[in-house]
Amino acid sequence: MHSSLRILVTGGAGFIGSHLCEELLRRGHDVLCIDNFYTGTRNNVAGLLANPNFELMRHDVTFPLYVEVDRIFNLACPASPVHYQFDPVQTTKTSVHGAINMLGLAKRRRARILQASTSEVYGDPEIHPQPESYWGNVNPLGLRSCYDEGKRCAETLFFDYHRQHNLEIKVARIFNTYGPRMHPNDGRVVSNFIIQALRGEDITIYGDGQQTRSFCYVDDMVDGLLRLMESPADCTGPVNLGNPVETTIRQLAERIIALTGSRSKLIAKPLPADDPRRRCPDISLARRELDWEPRCMLDDGLMRTIEYFRATLSA
């Protein structure tokens, strides 16, 4: 990235956002972190508050923001089903109004802007693994639609601003990411399993546990987002960022039990509605355009995440 820039990170006190803020500061930039603390926490950025180049502001992206910035990372939106289904109307507003407000800011400032989109734009995919050219198989009326369709609409807005106003945009489609600072109650499989294992509780698997996910460690994800932001202007994306190695949910549970030394047992429960059976990115575009692929092995990332939750639970 160029010499010191003023960079806005929306949702910057969230899981991925806080790691991104940290890395931007490490690279010598000024960081304005905004968050409404719906799922993000001050705790996630507590270690950054003493840094004179870091500013934390409570703000909701569904309202306009007037600040001077050179780059915008738009990460604001609850990303786990537990949180985005709690207030689905607000979830859609965050994706759609949030995109409009941040794109408006980028247009005024002629700032480059990156949208944190999601693998959920592919819905329950009929193509495997999913390339960026796949349009998806999404239920527009389901319980997850507020998130899936909100993110799809945000992508539409980004490309329309790009075509209509010649705005420099980047769209990243983020696949399952895990690591320290995940929200402990977000209902995601990695945090759920680790907490259940550390407490010695039964580990709940939905369905037969043969459904797959691909897990990308947060440091690799931040590296991908930064490479995309600094890629040539014609590399708008969308670009899949995620780990192309598939793991079944059952395998994940067994790894976590082994790594924590837990005595937890596995228990099966019925699958939730619209839960995708397989989820795996085709990352050939990221490899080619960004020279990026995940480096952190699953066991290493899980160990770091387990240590984080161990410390959190004993605090």
Side-chain angles (χ1 to χ4, degrees), residues 79 84 116-125 127 130-131 134-138 144 147-148 151-152 155 171-177 188 212-214 221 238-243 276 278-282:
Y84 67 62
S117 191
T118 170
S119 60
E120 298 296 335
V121 299
Y122 299 121
D124 190 1
I127 291 182
Q130 293 83 57
Y134 178 49
W135 287 355
N137 173 39
V138 178
R144 301 169 73 110
Y147 184 69
D148 305 3
K151 289 285 195 181
R152 284 165 71 95
E155 287 196 11
V171 175
R173 287 180 179 162
I174 296 176
F175 282 70
N176 293 57
T177 305
R188 287 172 187 231
T212 67
R213 293 293 182 270
S214 48
M221 182 56 62
V239 176
N240 287 338
L241 295 177
N243 194 330
R278 299 182 79 181
R279 178 70 88 224
C280 183
D282 176 336

mmCIF file of all heavy atoms in Angstrom, residues 79 84 116-125 127 130-131 134-138 144 147-148 151-152 155 171-177 188 212-214 221 238-243 276 278-282:
data_model
loop_
_atom_site.group_PDB
_atom_site.id
_atom_site.type_symbol
_atom_site.label_atom_id
_atom_site.label_comp_id
_atom_site.label_asym_id
_atom_site.label_seq_id
_atom_site.Cartn_x
_atom_site.Cartn_y
_atom_site.Cartn_z
ATOM 1 N N ALA A 79 -22.741 -11.262 10.648
ATOM 2 C CA ALA A 79 -22.434 -12.279 9.641
ATOM 3 C C ALA A 79 -22.817 -13.696 10.055
ATOM 4 O O ALA A 79 -22.629 -14.618 9.281
ATOM 5 C CB ALA A 79 -20.955 -12.227 9.290
ATOM 6 N N TYR A 84 -27.848 -12.240 12.406
ATOM 7 C CA TYR A 84 -28.541 -11.543 11.317
ATOM 8 C C TYR A 84 -30.019 -11.894 11.248
ATOM 9 O O TYR A 84 -30.805 -11.143 10.684
ATOM 10 C CB TYR A 84 -27.812 -11.652 9.974
ATOM 11 C CG TYR A 84 -27.721 -13.000 9.289
ATOM 12 C CD1 TYR A 84 -28.844 -13.696 8.866
ATOM 13 C CD2 TYR A 84 -26.466 -13.551 8.994
ATOM 14 C CE1 TYR A 84 -28.736 -14.908 8.192
ATOM 15 C CE2 TYR A 84 -26.347 -14.762 8.318
ATOM 16 C CZ TYR A 84 -27.489 -15.434 7.925
ATOM 17 O OH TYR A 84 -27.384 -16.624 7.261
ATOM 18 N N ALA A 116 -16.993 -6.159 1.661
ATOM 19 C CA ALA A 116 -16.889 -7.521 2.183
ATOM 20 C C ALA A 116 -18.200 -8.229 1.867
ATOM 21 O O ALA A 116 -19.184 -8.108 2.590
ATOM 22 C CB ALA A 116 -16.644 -7.500 3.691
ATOM 23 N N SER A 117 -18.221 -8.940 0.736
ATOM 24 C CA SER A 117 -19.387 -9.739 0.389
ATOM 25 C C SER A 117 -19.181 -11.139 0.976
ATOM 26 O O SER A 117 -18.320 -11.328 1.846
ATOM 27 C CB SER A 117 -19.592 -9.766 -1.120
ATOM 28 O OG SER A 117 -20.854 -10.328 -1.436
ATOM 29 N N THR A 118 -19.935 -12.096 0.508
ATOM 30 C CA THR A 118 -19.968 -13.377 1.207
ATOM 31 C C THR A 118 -20.197 -14.532 0.247
ATOM 32 O O THR A 118 -20.823 -14.348 -0.816
ATOM 33 C CB THR A 118 -21.103 -13.370 2.254
ATOM 34 O OG1 THR A 118 -21.290 -14.694 2.773
ATOM 35 C CG2 THR A 118 -22.424 -12.932 1.635
ATOM 36 N N SER A 119 -19.764 -15.697 0.646
ATOM 37 C CA SER A 119 -20.063 -16.914 -0.123
ATOM 38 C C SER A 119 -21.564 -17.185 -0.146
ATOM 39 O O SER A 119 -22.049 -17.939 -0.985
ATOM 40 C CB SER A 119 -19.340 -18.106 0.504
ATOM 41 O OG SER A 119 -19.759 -18.295 1.837
ATOM 42 N N GLU A 120 -22.307 -16.569 0.784
ATOM 43 C CA GLU A 120 -23.761 -16.793 0.833
ATOM 44 C C GLU A 120 -24.470 -16.264 -0.413
ATOM 45 O O GLU A 120 -25.624 -16.596 -0.646
ATOM 46 C CB GLU A 120 -24.372 -16.145 2.083
ATOM 47 C CG GLU A 120 -23.864 -16.709 3.406
ATOM 48 C CD GLU A 120 -24.217 -18.173 3.625
ATOM 49 O OE1 GLU A 120 -25.208 -18.649 3.035
ATOM 50 O OE2 GLU A 120 -23.495 -18.838 4.379
ATOM 51 N N VAL A 121 -23.792 -15.439 -1.218
ATOM 52 C CA VAL A 121 -24.428 -14.989 -2.463
ATOM 53 C C VAL A 121 -24.646 -16.178 -3.402
ATOM 54 O O VAL A 121 -25.454 -16.095 -4.329
ATOM 55 C CB VAL A 121 -23.619 -13.888 -3.196
ATOM 56 C CG1 VAL A 121 -23.468 -12.647 -2.332
ATOM 57 C CG2 VAL A 121 -22.278 -14.397 -3.667
ATOM 58 N N TYR A 122 -23.946 -17.290 -3.166
ATOM 59 C CA TYR A 122 -24.126 -18.484 -4.001
ATOM 60 C C TYR A 122 -25.288 -19.347 -3.505
ATOM 61 O O TYR A 122 -25.679 -20.306 -4.168
ATOM 62 C CB TYR A 122 -22.844 -19.335 -4.017
ATOM 63 C CG TYR A 122 -21.638 -18.621 -4.580
ATOM 64 C CD1 TYR A 122 -20.484 -18.451 -3.816
ATOM 65 C CD2 TYR A 122 -21.656 -18.119 -5.877
ATOM 66 C CE1 TYR A 122 -19.374 -17.802 -4.334
ATOM 67 C CE2 TYR A 122 -20.551 -17.460 -6.406
ATOM 68 C CZ TYR A 122 -19.410 -17.297 -5.630
ATOM 69 O OH TYR A 122 -18.315 -16.654 -6.145
ATOM 70 N N GLY A 123 -25.833 -19.028 -2.317
ATOM 71 C CA GLY A 123 -26.947 -19.811 -1.770
ATOM 72 C C GLY A 123 -26.541 -21.254 -1.518
ATOM 73 O O GLY A 123 -25.440 -21.531 -1.049
ATOM 74 N N ASP A 124 -27.448 -22.177 -1.847
ATOM 75 C CA ASP A 124 -27.156 -23.608 -1.722
ATOM 76 C C ASP A 124 -26.681 -24.040 -3.112
ATOM 77 O O ASP A 124 -27.490 -24.338 -3.989
ATOM 78 C CB ASP A 124 -28.420 -24.368 -1.302
ATOM 79 C CG ASP A 124 -28.102 -25.812 -0.926
ATOM 80 O OD1 ASP A 124 -26.913 -26.188 -0.974
ATOM 81 O OD2 ASP A 124 -29.040 -26.559 -0.606
ATOM 82 N N PRO A 125 -25.365 -24.052 -3.346
ATOM 83 C CA PRO A 125 -24.854 -24.076 -4.718
ATOM 84 C C PRO A 125 -25.094 -25.390 -5.445
ATOM 85 O O PRO A 125 -25.012 -26.466 -4.859
ATOM 86 C CB PRO A 125 -23.350 -23.819 -4.541
ATOM 87 C CG PRO A 125 -23.049 -24.165 -3.133
ATOM 88 C CD PRO A 125 -24.307 -24.005 -2.336
ATOM 89 N N ILE A 127 -23.297 -25.794 -8.255
ATOM 90 C CA ILE A 127 -21.992 -25.933 -8.914
ATOM 91 C C ILE A 127 -20.947 -26.035 -7.816
ATOM 92 O O ILE A 127 -21.036 -25.320 -6.816
ATOM 93 C CB ILE A 127 -21.703 -24.713 -9.809
ATOM 94 C CG1 ILE A 127 -22.652 -24.709 -11.003
ATOM 95 C CG2 ILE A 127 -20.251 -24.681 -10.251
ATOM 96 C CD1 ILE A 127 -22.414 -23.569 -11.958
ATOM 97 N N GLN A 130 -17.409 -23.325 -6.050
ATOM 98 C CA GLN A 130 -18.092 -22.179 -6.651
ATOM 99 C C GLN A 130 -17.102 -21.183 -7.268
ATOM 100 O O GLN A 130 -16.284 -20.599 -6.556
ATOM 101 C CB GLN A 130 -18.930 -21.443 -5.595
ATOM 102 C CG GLN A 130 -20.104 -22.248 -5.080
ATOM 103 C CD GLN A 130 -19.719 -23.218 -3.968
ATOM 104 O OE1 GLN A 130 -19.180 -22.814 -2.955
ATOM 105 N NE2 GLN A 130 -19.998 -24.500 -4.156
ATOM 106 N N PRO A 131 -17.189 -20.977 -8.602
ATOM 107 C CA PRO A 131 -16.403 -19.911 -9.224
ATOM 108 C C PRO A 131 -17.182 -18.588 -9.158
ATOM 109 O O PRO A 131 -18.402 -18.586 -8.972
ATOM 110 C CB PRO A 131 -16.283 -20.383 -10.679
ATOM 111 C CG PRO A 131 -17.551 -21.144 -10.914
ATOM 112 C CD PRO A 131 -17.975 -21.729 -9.584
ATOM 113 N N TYR A 134 -20.438 -17.992 -11.149
ATOM 114 C CA TYR A 134 -21.700 -18.673 -10.810
ATOM 115 C C TYR A 134 -22.678 -17.685 -10.178
ATOM 116 O O TYR A 134 -22.322 -16.974 -9.245
ATOM 117 C CB TYR A 134 -21.395 -19.839 -9.856
ATOM 118 C CG TYR A 134 -22.629 -20.594 -9.383
ATOM 119 C CD1 TYR A 134 -23.589 -21.027 -10.272
ATOM 120 C CD2 TYR A 134 -22.813 -20.855 -8.019
ATOM 121 C CE1 TYR A 134 -24.712 -21.716 -9.840
ATOM 122 C CE2 TYR A 134 -23.935 -21.551 -7.579
ATOM 123 C CZ TYR A 134 -24.884 -21.965 -8.488
ATOM 124 O OH TYR A 134 -25.999 -22.640 -8.058
ATOM 125 N N TRP A 135 -23.916 -17.659 -10.681
ATOM 126 C CA TRP A 135 -24.892 -16.678 -10.209
ATOM 127 C C TRP A 135 -25.606 -17.070 -8.919
ATOM 128 O O TRP A 135 -26.300 -16.273 -8.319
ATOM 129 C CB TRP A 135 -25.933 -16.395 -11.314
ATOM 130 C CG TRP A 135 -25.393 -15.593 -12.434
ATOM 131 C CD1 TRP A 135 -24.143 -15.038 -12.518
ATOM 132 C CD2 TRP A 135 -26.063 -15.236 -13.651
ATOM 133 N NE1 TRP A 135 -23.985 -14.355 -13.693
ATOM 134 C CE2 TRP A 135 -25.159 -14.469 -14.420
ATOM 135 C CE3 TRP A 135 -27.337 -15.498 -14.163
ATOM 136 C CZ2 TRP A 135 -25.493 -13.941 -15.667
ATOM 137 C CZ3 TRP A 135 -27.664 -14.988 -15.405
ATOM 138 C CH2 TRP A 135 -26.758 -14.222 -16.147
ATOM 139 N N GLY A 136 -25.492 -18.329 -8.547
ATOM 140 C CA GLY A 136 -26.049 -18.724 -7.252
ATOM 141 C C GLY A 136 -27.430 -19.331 -7.327
ATOM 142 O O GLY A 136 -28.132 -19.235 -8.340
ATOM 143 N N ASN A 137 -27.815 -19.954 -6.224
ATOM 144 C CA ASN A 137 -29.109 -20.623 -6.087
ATOM 145 C C ASN A 137 -29.665 -20.196 -4.730
ATOM 146 O O ASN A 137 -29.507 -20.875 -3.731
ATOM 147 C CB ASN A 137 -28.880 -22.143 -6.145
ATOM 148 C CG ASN A 137 -30.134 -22.929 -5.854
ATOM 149 O OD1 ASN A 137 -31.220 -22.546 -6.275
ATOM 150 N ND2 ASN A 137 -29.999 -24.019 -5.110
ATOM 151 N N VAL A 138 -30.281 -18.997 -4.737
ATOM 152 C CA VAL A 138 -30.641 -18.358 -3.463
ATOM 153 C C VAL A 138 -32.152 -18.280 -3.302
ATOM 154 O O VAL A 138 -32.863 -17.893 -4.222
ATOM 155 C CB VAL A 138 -30.038 -16.930 -3.392
ATOM 156 C CG1 VAL A 138 -30.435 -16.243 -2.097
ATOM 157 C CG2 VAL A 138 -28.529 -16.993 -3.509
ATOM 158 N N ARG A 144 -32.750 -16.892 5.844
ATOM 159 C CA ARG A 144 -31.393 -16.373 5.636
ATOM 160 C C ARG A 144 -31.363 -15.279 4.565
ATOM 161 O O ARG A 144 -30.306 -14.707 4.300
ATOM 162 C CB ARG A 144 -30.471 -17.519 5.180
ATOM 163 C CG ARG A 144 -30.385 -18.665 6.163
ATOM 164 C CD ARG A 144 -29.675 -19.863 5.550
ATOM 165 N NE ARG A 144 -28.250 -19.634 5.430
ATOM 166 C CZ ARG A 144 -27.330 -20.256 6.163
ATOM 167 N NH1 ARG A 144 -27.693 -21.145 7.060
ATOM 168 N NH2 ARG A 144 -26.059 -19.998 6.009
ATOM 169 N N TYR A 147 -29.785 -11.675 4.813
ATOM 170 C CA TYR A 147 -28.324 -11.585 4.676
ATOM 171 C C TYR A 147 -27.905 -11.853 3.234
ATOM 172 O O TYR A 147 -27.217 -11.039 2.609
ATOM 173 C CB TYR A 147 -27.677 -12.590 5.621
ATOM 174 C CG TYR A 147 -26.166 -12.541 5.640
ATOM 175 C CD1 TYR A 147 -25.500 -11.447 6.192
ATOM 176 C CD2 TYR A 147 -25.409 -13.584 5.132
ATOM 177 C CE1 TYR A 147 -24.110 -11.397 6.222
ATOM 178 C CE2 TYR A 147 -24.023 -13.546 5.161
ATOM 179 C CZ TYR A 147 -23.371 -12.449 5.706
ATOM 180 O OH TYR A 147 -22.004 -12.404 5.734
ATOM 181 N N ASP A 148 -28.366 -13.009 2.685
ATOM 182 C CA ASP A 148 -27.956 -13.402 1.331
ATOM 183 C C ASP A 148 -28.325 -12.328 0.300
ATOM 184 O O ASP A 148 -27.496 -11.900 -0.497
ATOM 185 C CB ASP A 148 -28.633 -14.726 0.915
ATOM 186 C CG ASP A 148 -28.379 -15.852 1.903
ATOM 187 O OD1 ASP A 148 -27.723 -15.606 2.934
ATOM 188 O OD2 ASP A 148 -28.837 -16.982 1.643
ATOM 189 N N LYS A 151 -26.607 -8.841 0.791
ATOM 190 C CA LYS A 151 -25.232 -8.831 0.262
ATOM 191 C C LYS A 151 -25.227 -8.852 -1.270
ATOM 192 O O LYS A 151 -24.366 -8.246 -1.912
ATOM 193 C CB LYS A 151 -24.453 -10.033 0.804
ATOM 194 C CG LYS A 151 -24.121 -9.925 2.292
ATOM 195 C CD LYS A 151 -23.000 -8.949 2.558
ATOM 196 C CE LYS A 151 -22.426 -9.088 3.959
ATOM 197 N NZ LYS A 151 -21.348 -8.124 4.229
ATOM 198 N N ARG A 152 -26.191 -9.563 -1.866
ATOM 199 C CA ARG A 152 -26.275 -9.581 -3.336
ATOM 200 C C ARG A 152 -26.622 -8.187 -3.856
ATOM 201 O O ARG A 152 -26.040 -7.711 -4.840
ATOM 202 C CB ARG A 152 -27.321 -10.609 -3.795
ATOM 203 C CG ARG A 152 -26.810 -12.053 -3.685
ATOM 204 C CD ARG A 152 -27.933 -13.073 -3.783
ATOM 205 N NE ARG A 152 -28.513 -13.197 -5.112
ATOM 206 C CZ ARG A 152 -28.147 -14.112 -6.028
ATOM 207 N NH1 ARG A 152 -27.198 -14.986 -5.771
ATOM 208 N NH2 ARG A 152 -28.750 -14.167 -7.196
ATOM 209 N N GLU A 155 -23.635 -5.897 -3.757
ATOM 210 C CA GLU A 155 -22.742 -6.105 -4.914
ATOM 211 C C GLU A 155 -23.278 -5.360 -6.136
ATOM 212 O O GLU A 155 -22.518 -4.715 -6.873
ATOM 213 C CB GLU A 155 -22.599 -7.602 -5.235
ATOM 214 C CG GLU A 155 -21.747 -8.373 -4.251
ATOM 215 C CD GLU A 155 -21.316 -9.749 -4.799
ATOM 216 O OE1 GLU A 155 -21.504 -9.994 -6.018
ATOM 217 O OE2 GLU A 155 -20.795 -10.554 -4.015
ATOM 218 N N VAL A 171 -14.665 -6.056 -4.769
ATOM 219 C CA VAL A 171 -15.657 -6.897 -4.088
ATOM 220 C C VAL A 171 -15.022 -8.240 -3.743
ATOM 221 O O VAL A 171 -14.562 -8.969 -4.626
ATOM 222 C CB VAL A 171 -16.915 -7.105 -4.963
ATOM 223 C CG1 VAL A 171 -17.881 -8.081 -4.296
ATOM 224 C CG2 VAL A 171 -17.615 -5.765 -5.217
ATOM 225 N N ALA A 172 -14.989 -8.533 -2.441
ATOM 226 C CA ALA A 172 -14.446 -9.812 -1.963
ATOM 227 C C ALA A 172 -15.587 -10.690 -1.484
ATOM 228 O O ALA A 172 -16.423 -10.236 -0.705
ATOM 229 C CB ALA A 172 -13.484 -9.561 -0.796
ATOM 230 N N ARG A 173 -15.632 -11.924 -1.971
ATOM 231 C CA ARG A 173 -16.630 -12.875 -1.452
ATOM 232 C C ARG A 173 -15.940 -13.766 -0.426
ATOM 233 O O ARG A 173 -15.140 -14.635 -0.769
ATOM 234 C CB ARG A 173 -17.216 -13.704 -2.594
ATOM 235 C CG ARG A 173 -18.152 -12.868 -3.454
ATOM 236 C CD ARG A 173 -18.745 -13.666 -4.594
ATOM 237 N NE ARG A 173 -19.641 -12.838 -5.381
ATOM 238 C CZ ARG A 173 -20.038 -13.121 -6.621
ATOM 239 N NH1 ARG A 173 -19.587 -14.223 -7.206
ATOM 240 N NH2 ARG A 173 -20.861 -12.328 -7.272
ATOM 241 N N ILE A 174 -16.260 -13.511 0.827
ATOM 242 C CA ILE A 174 -15.572 -14.166 1.945
ATOM 243 C C ILE A 174 -16.251 -15.491 2.286
ATOM 244 O O ILE A 174 -17.466 -15.535 2.509
ATOM 245 C CB ILE A 174 -15.569 -13.221 3.165
ATOM 246 C CG1 ILE A 174 -14.763 -11.955 2.837
ATOM 247 C CG2 ILE A 174 -15.029 -13.916 4.401
ATOM 248 C CD1 ILE A 174 -14.778 -10.903 3.929
ATOM 249 N N PHE A 175 -15.452 -16.538 2.330
ATOM 250 C CA PHE A 175 -15.936 -17.851 2.769
ATOM 251 C C PHE A 175 -15.594 -18.033 4.258
ATOM 252 O O PHE A 175 -14.832 -17.234 4.814
ATOM 253 C CB PHE A 175 -15.284 -18.959 1.927
ATOM 254 C CG PHE A 175 -15.890 -19.118 0.554
ATOM 255 C CD1 PHE A 175 -15.712 -18.142 -0.422
ATOM 256 C CD2 PHE A 175 -16.652 -20.243 0.241
ATOM 257 C CE1 PHE A 175 -16.277 -18.280 -1.687
ATOM 258 C CE2 PHE A 175 -17.219 -20.397 -1.026
ATOM 259 C CZ PHE A 175 -17.030 -19.412 -1.982
ATOM 260 N N ASN A 176 -16.153 -19.092 4.864
ATOM 261 C CA ASN A 176 -15.984 -19.326 6.310
ATOM 262 C C ASN A 176 -14.586 -18.948 6.821
ATOM 263 O O ASN A 176 -13.588 -19.493 6.361
ATOM 264 C CB ASN A 176 -16.222 -20.814 6.653
ATOM 265 C CG ASN A 176 -17.659 -21.216 6.423
ATOM 266 O OD1 ASN A 176 -18.169 -21.074 5.312
ATOM 267 N ND2 ASN A 176 -18.322 -21.719 7.451
ATOM 268 N N THR A 177 -14.564 -18.042 7.775
ATOM 269 C CA THR A 177 -13.311 -17.575 8.364
ATOM 270 C C THR A 177 -13.396 -17.795 9.871
ATOM 271 O O THR A 177 -14.473 -17.696 10.451
ATOM 272 C CB THR A 177 -13.107 -16.083 8.037
ATOM 273 O OG1 THR A 177 -13.182 -15.912 6.627
ATOM 274 C CG2 THR A 177 -11.770 -15.571 8.520
ATOM 275 N N ARG A 188 -21.653 -20.144 15.133
ATOM 276 C CA ARG A 188 -20.823 -20.703 14.060
ATOM 277 C C ARG A 188 -20.163 -21.969 14.543
ATOM 278 O O ARG A 188 -19.878 -22.145 15.720
ATOM 279 C CB ARG A 188 -19.750 -19.723 13.634
ATOM 280 C CG ARG A 188 -20.338 -18.607 12.843
ATOM 281 C CD ARG A 188 -19.268 -17.583 12.631
ATOM 282 N NE ARG A 188 -19.859 -16.425 12.026
ATOM 283 C CZ ARG A 188 -19.392 -15.859 10.942
ATOM 284 N NH1 ARG A 188 -18.344 -16.337 10.340
ATOM 285 N NH2 ARG A 188 -19.980 -14.800 10.457
ATOM 286 N N THR A 212 -20.066 -30.184 4.173
ATOM 287 C CA THR A 212 -18.695 -29.667 4.218
ATOM 288 C C THR A 212 -18.669 -28.151 4.356
ATOM 289 O O THR A 212 -19.594 -27.456 3.946
ATOM 290 C CB THR A 212 -17.919 -30.016 2.928
ATOM 291 O OG1 THR A 212 -18.508 -29.308 1.834
ATOM 292 C CG2 THR A 212 -17.916 -31.510 2.665
ATOM 293 N N ARG A 213 -17.571 -27.675 4.933
ATOM 294 C CA ARG A 213 -17.242 -26.249 4.936
ATOM 295 C C ARG A 213 -15.756 -26.148 4.647
ATOM 296 O O ARG A 213 -15.018 -27.124 4.774
ATOM 297 C CB ARG A 213 -17.542 -25.603 6.306
ATOM 298 C CG ARG A 213 -19.026 -25.547 6.680
ATOM 299 C CD ARG A 213 -19.811 -24.606 5.789
ATOM 300 N NE ARG A 213 -21.210 -24.513 6.175
ATOM 301 C CZ ARG A 213 -22.168 -25.292 5.710
ATOM 302 N NH1 ARG A 213 -21.878 -26.279 4.863
ATOM 303 N NH2 ARG A 213 -23.418 -25.131 6.076
ATOM 304 N N SER A 214 -15.323 -24.951 4.258
ATOM 305 C CA SER A 214 -13.891 -24.740 4.054
ATOM 306 C C SER A 214 -13.512 -23.602 4.994
ATOM 307 O O SER A 214 -14.157 -22.554 4.989
ATOM 308 C CB SER A 214 -13.625 -24.379 2.606
ATOM 309 O OG SER A 214 -14.508 -23.371 2.180
ATOM 310 N N MET A 221 -7.172 -14.349 5.648
ATOM 311 C CA MET A 221 -8.268 -13.547 5.085
ATOM 312 C C MET A 221 -7.887 -12.070 5.007
ATOM 313 O O MET A 221 -8.110 -11.408 3.988
ATOM 314 C CB MET A 221 -9.530 -13.723 5.944
ATOM 315 C CG MET A 221 -10.739 -12.969 5.421
ATOM 316 S SD MET A 221 -11.166 -13.380 3.701
ATOM 317 C CE MET A 221 -11.548 -15.130 3.867
ATOM 318 N N PRO A 238 -15.974 -9.561 -8.529
ATOM 319 C CA PRO A 238 -15.806 -10.234 -7.245
ATOM 320 C C PRO A 238 -14.709 -11.300 -7.274
ATOM 321 O O PRO A 238 -14.504 -11.971 -8.285
ATOM 322 C CB PRO A 238 -17.176 -10.868 -6.991
ATOM 323 C CG PRO A 238 -17.863 -10.892 -8.307
ATOM 324 C CD PRO A 238 -17.293 -9.784 -9.119
ATOM 325 N N VAL A 239 -14.012 -11.415 -6.127
ATOM 326 C CA VAL A 239 -12.967 -12.412 -5.954
ATOM 327 C C VAL A 239 -13.302 -13.261 -4.731
ATOM 328 O O VAL A 239 -13.556 -12.721 -3.656
ATOM 329 C CB VAL A 239 -11.582 -11.746 -5.750
ATOM 330 C CG1 VAL A 239 -10.513 -12.797 -5.471
ATOM 331 C CG2 VAL A 239 -11.192 -10.913 -6.960
ATOM 332 N N ASN A 240 -13.323 -14.573 -4.922
ATOM 333 C CA ASN A 240 -13.508 -15.487 -3.792
ATOM 334 C C ASN A 240 -12.273 -15.477 -2.906
ATOM 335 O O ASN A 240 -11.155 -15.642 -3.402
ATOM 336 C CB ASN A 240 -13.690 -16.937 -4.283
ATOM 337 C CG ASN A 240 -15.042 -17.188 -4.921
ATOM 338 O OD1 ASN A 240 -16.001 -16.466 -4.666
ATOM 339 N ND2 ASN A 240 -15.122 -18.220 -5.743
ATOM 340 N N LEU A 241 -12.472 -15.313 -1.600
ATOM 341 C CA LEU A 241 -11.388 -15.471 -0.631
ATOM 342 C C LEU A 241 -11.824 -16.522 0.376
ATOM 343 O O LEU A 241 -12.846 -16.357 1.048
ATOM 344 C CB LEU A 241 -11.084 -14.149 0.082
ATOM 345 C CG LEU A 241 -10.532 -13.009 -0.786
ATOM 346 C CD1 LEU A 241 -10.358 -11.751 0.053
ATOM 347 C CD2 LEU A 241 -9.221 -13.389 -1.455
ATOM 348 N N GLY A 242 -11.081 -17.606 0.430
ATOM 349 C CA GLY A 242 -11.437 -18.683 1.347
ATOM 350 C C GLY A 242 -10.471 -19.829 1.159
ATOM 351 O O GLY A 242 -9.563 -19.765 0.328
ATOM 352 N N ASN A 243 -10.667 -20.866 1.924
ATOM 353 C CA ASN A 243 -9.778 -22.019 1.853
ATOM 354 C C ASN A 243 -10.412 -23.088 0.973
ATOM 355 O O ASN A 243 -11.527 -23.526 1.248
ATOM 356 C CB ASN A 243 -9.544 -22.566 3.264
ATOM 357 C CG ASN A 243 -8.391 -23.532 3.305
ATOM 358 O OD1 ASN A 243 -8.101 -24.220 2.329
ATOM 359 N ND2 ASN A 243 -7.726 -23.593 4.440
ATOM 360 N N PRO A 276 -26.637 -24.752 3.585
ATOM 361 C CA PRO A 276 -26.005 -25.339 2.401
ATOM 362 C C PRO A 276 -25.269 -26.647 2.721
ATOM 363 O O PRO A 276 -24.637 -26.750 3.773
ATOM 364 C CB PRO A 276 -25.021 -24.260 1.935
ATOM 365 C CG PRO A 276 -25.043 -23.186 2.944
ATOM 366 C CD PRO A 276 -26.085 -23.459 3.959
ATOM 367 N N ARG A 278 -22.836 -28.081 0.842
ATOM 368 C CA ARG A 278 -21.414 -27.972 0.548
ATOM 369 C C ARG A 278 -21.070 -26.508 0.343
ATOM 370 O O ARG A 278 -21.862 -25.741 -0.163
ATOM 371 C CB ARG A 278 -21.072 -28.747 -0.737
ATOM 372 C CG ARG A 278 -21.357 -30.205 -0.649
ATOM 373 C CD ARG A 278 -20.949 -30.922 -1.921
ATOM 374 N NE ARG A 278 -19.511 -31.172 -1.970
ATOM 375 C CZ ARG A 278 -18.919 -31.782 -3.000
ATOM 376 N NH1 ARG A 278 -19.619 -32.149 -4.037
ATOM 377 N NH2 ARG A 278 -17.616 -32.001 -2.989
ATOM 378 N N ARG A 279 -19.866 -26.182 0.752
ATOM 379 C CA ARG A 279 -19.444 -24.796 0.602
ATOM 380 C C ARG A 279 -17.935 -24.834 0.403
ATOM 381 O O ARG A 279 -17.208 -25.243 1.297
ATOM 382 C CB ARG A 279 -19.805 -24.027 1.879
ATOM 383 C CG ARG A 279 -19.383 -22.601 1.903
ATOM 384 C CD ARG A 279 -20.149 -21.727 0.961
ATOM 385 N NE ARG A 279 -21.358 -21.172 1.504
ATOM 386 C CZ ARG A 279 -22.488 -21.140 0.829
ATOM 387 N NH1 ARG A 279 -22.552 -21.689 -0.359
ATOM 388 N NH2 ARG A 279 -23.544 -20.587 1.349
ATOM 389 N N CYS A 280 -17.491 -24.462 -0.799
ATOM 390 C CA CYS A 280 -16.059 -24.510 -1.083
ATOM 391 C C CYS A 280 -15.745 -23.529 -2.207
ATOM 392 O O CYS A 280 -16.405 -23.555 -3.236
ATOM 393 C CB CYS A 280 -15.652 -25.931 -1.486
ATOM 394 S SG CYS A 280 -13.897 -26.105 -1.784
ATOM 395 N N PRO A 281 -14.750 -22.658 -2.002
ATOM 396 C CA PRO A 281 -14.454 -21.672 -3.045
ATOM 397 C C PRO A 281 -13.536 -22.226 -4.122
ATOM 398 O O PRO A 281 -12.647 -23.030 -3.848
ATOM 399 C CB PRO A 281 -13.712 -20.575 -2.267
ATOM 400 C CG PRO A 281 -13.022 -21.304 -1.159
ATOM 401 C CD PRO A 281 -13.903 -22.483 -0.807
ATOM 402 N N ASP A 282 -13.755 -21.765 -5.343
ATOM 403 C CA ASP A 282 -12.759 -21.914 -6.396
ATOM 404 C C ASP A 282 -11.919 -20.633 -6.282
ATOM 405 O O ASP A 282 -12.434 -19.536 -6.509
ATOM 406 C CB ASP A 282 -13.472 -21.993 -7.749
ATOM 407 C CG ASP A 282 -12.506 -22.057 -8.918
ATOM 408 O OD1 ASP A 282 -11.354 -21.594 -8.761
ATOM 409 O OD2 ASP A 282 -12.907 -22.535 -9.989
#
